[in-house]
Amino acid sequence: VLIVLIAAAIILPIAFKGKVLHIAKTEINNNLNATVDFKDIDISLFRRFPRLAVGLTSLEIIGKDNFAKDTLISAKRIDLALNLMSLFSGDQMKIHSVTIDQPRIHAIVDKEGKANWDITIPDTTAVASESSFNVQLKKYSINDGYISYIDLEGDMSSEIFHLNHSGSGDFTADVFTLKTSTSAASVSFTYSKI
């Protein structure tokens, strides 16, 4: 029985890799007006047991039009913990936790006031279609992040180096307590060259 369970734990992630990869890419392409790419998707039953761990490596989100040459987000790795039973019970994957390793975020507002993070495609249908991701988030964390904010219209900028941030709470509840912890090696802010 133990050998069968271990074999299933090894085989199941490989069997579902194609489905998870397809759903992830489809959802991203359907909801974002940006070029999104990642090198690989890693699926494991051991890393976040009893949940299914899904890892995206070398994620990049690059804007379009005015921001076609600007990378909005790059991350060494994004790790999601999913409810395994949600893969068997239907089309929705329930996300329990998110961990982002070494993200580099470059937020830009151009001289006309357009923001490079405004990449969601507006819903033009009268009834919104149901997403394949059902976020039942309990915790999240950012490890060793870098954030750059440049506002050309407002003549201000800011940088945060080696950001570590984590939060936990029941995000599905109407009222909940969010517990957070944040640290950074340095933070700078410039306004009108001051």
Side-chain angles (χ1 to χ4, degrees):
V1 172
L2 184 61
I3 291 172
V4 170
L5 289 174
I6 292 172
I10 293 169
I11 293 169
L12 282 176
I14 296 168
F16 283 105
K17 182 175 182 176
K19 180 180 179 180
V20 174
L21 183 62
H22 172 72
I23 291 173
K25 287 195 173 183
T26 301
E27 284 295 316
I28 289 170
N29 291 328
N30 287 341
N31 293 298
L32 297 181
N33 185 25
T35 303
V36 180
D37 191 24
F38 49 89
K39 284 188 179 177
D40 194 18
I41 189 165
D42 173 37
I43 302 173
S44 171
L45 276 171
F46 298 107
R47 199 167 60 244
R48 303 279 184 203
F49 187 82
R51 294 176 179 86
L52 180 68
V54 178
L56 301 177
T57 56
S58 302
L59 174 74
E60 282 190 344
I61 301 176
I62 301 172
K64 291 184 177 178
D65 303 325
N66 294 350
F67 303 105
K69 296 180 181 179
D70 298 316
T71 301
L72 170 61
I73 298 172
S74 66
K76 183 177 180 180
R77 184 176 181 86
I78 296 180
D79 202 28
L80 307 172
L82 307 172
N83 183 325
L84 180 61
M85 297 315 294
S86 67
L87 292 176
F88 296 107
S89 61
D91 295 331
Q92 288 197 334
M93 288 193 294
K94 297 178 181 177
I95 301 173
H96 176 76
S97 66
V98 178
T99 303
I100 306 173
D101 290 325
Q102 297 180 3
R104 296 186 61 81
I105 301 170
H106 298 275
I108 302 169
V109 178
D110 67 13
K111 291 182 180 179
E112 289 77 37
K114 291 182 180 177
N116 73 333
W117 62 84
D118 187 15
I119 59 173
T120 56
I121 297 173
D123 187 9
T124 56
T125 60
V127 179
S129 61
E130 193 173 276
S131 173
S132 294
F133 291 97
N134 181 4
V135 180
Q136 295 186 348
L137 199 59
K138 300 291 183 188
K139 58 184 177 179
Y140 64 91
S141 63
I142 298 171
N143 302 318
D144 194 22
Y146 168 80
I147 299 175
S148 167
Y149 172 73
I150 300 171
D151 186 340
L152 298 174
E153 183 186 38
D155 192 20
M156 63 179 127
S157 64
S158 181
E159 280 186 301
I160 303 173
F161 294 91
H162 301 291
L163 172 70
N164 292 297
H165 174 77
S166 62
S168 63
D170 185 0
F171 289 79
T172 60
D174 291 334
V175 178
F176 65 93
T177 300
L178 177 62
K179 298 177 182 178
T180 64
S181 174
T182 306
S183 66
S186 66
V187 178
S188 67
F189 177 76
T190 303
Y191 179 67
S192 294
K193 299 181 176 57
I194 299 171

